[in-house]
Amino acid sequence: MKFPRLTIQILGWNSAEELAAGLEILAKIPADEAVIRYIDNGSTDDSVVMARKMVPRADILELGENTGFAGGHNAGLAKCETELVMLHNPDLELDWEGTKKVLTVFNDDSVGAAQGLLYRNRDRTIIDSAGIEKTLAMNGRERGAGTKNVNKFSQTIEIFAVTGAAGIYRMSALREVVYQENEFLDKDFF
């Protein structure tokens, strides 16, 4: 078996209600295509039991307390051994074929992060994010958020940043910009 290029890191905190649909999809991804890691931020519900049952091969990381978005993902990133890592929200229902298309942009060594198109609804009519763009005030905002999908965002382009819900990162790029040991994401971003 070849070693996968990608780790998909799903972070949850009392997320059992939202988690099932996403885990069902992740369980179908071949083991040689992605490492699946479930990071639990001290849940008191059945999230960990559900992850173990639905994705038996998943690497389960139980943190014991809620360390927030950055803290949870930092714990997983510190363990990451693949070239690429995807940060995956518990309510995300991943389109694996679409994700594989996004992974092709990493054939260019200058690409440090990428994301696909995120939708707000299952029928894929309302865009949630087509990446983050920089505003005139130097803030970031989700491209296309709330708009109808009219294929406006179907081209591969350079974006300012990826959204935290489903961004894919090159681990070597994250290691180059790590703030402190294993603080890939700012720990103040709870």
Side-chain angles (χ1 to χ4, degrees):
M1 182 174 97
K2 69 176 184 168
F3 191 73
R5 184 179 189 200
L6 174 70
T7 296
I8 300 174
Q9 210 168 263
I10 185 166
L11 175 67
W13 177 72
N14 292 327
S15 305
E17 283 187 40
E18 303 87 37
L19 202 51
L23 289 175
E24 185 176 334
I25 293 165
L26 295 178
K28 295 175 184 172
I29 297 172
D32 65 342
E33 292 185 23
V35 171
I36 308 299
R37 174 175 296 128
Y38 174 69
I39 304 164
D40 189 77
N41 253 337
S43 294
T44 56
D45 66 3
D46 291 332
S47 296
V48 174
V49 171
M50 180 183 294
R52 278 199 176 98
K53 181 180 177 184
M54 293 185 73
V55 191
R57 70 179 173 95
D59 173 29
I60 307 286
L61 183 57
E62 294 182 72
L63 300 182
E65 66 177 315
N66 188 355
T67 62
F69 180 86
H73 278 301
N74 282 338
L77 291 167
K79 292 184 61 174
C80 195
E81 296 178 354
T82 55
E83 173 192 1
L84 305 171
V85 63
M86 175 184 222
L87 307 188
H88 185 302
N89 277 3
D91 62 343
L92 178 71
E93 294 179 29
L94 188 67
D95 176 339
W96 181 236
E97 292 306 312
T99 301
K100 289 195 294 188
K101 289 177 185 174
V102 174
L103 293 175
T104 65
V105 303
F106 289 97
N107 294 335
D108 177 344
D109 291 338
S110 70
V111 175
Q115 81 167 68
L117 192 58
L118 276 72
Y119 294 96
R120 286 194 183 164
N121 53 357
R122 285 190 169 138
D123 64 1
R124 298 180 178 194
T125 56
I126 306 293
I127 294 172
D128 191 49
S129 177
I132 297 176
E133 62 188 352
K134 192 178 349 177
T135 67
L136 292 175
M138 304 302 281
N139 296 320
R141 82 169 159 230
E142 303 286 351
R143 291 178 59 238
T147 63
K148 295 230 180 231
N149 180 13
V150 291
N151 294 322
K152 180 178 178 183
F153 302 103
S154 62
Q155 300 296 319
T156 300
I157 65 161
E158 188 171 315
I159 56 177
F160 178 64
V162 298
T163 187
I168 303 172
Y169 303 87
R170 187 182 304 274
M171 281 304 302
S172 60
L174 289 177
R175 288 183 186 106
E176 280 185 32
V177 297
V178 67
Y179 175 64
Q180 298 180 50
E181 183 179 352
N182 298 328
E183 190 176 342
F184 300 92
L185 306 175
D186 185 339
K187 66 182 178 184
D188 290 336
F189 185 66
F190 190 79

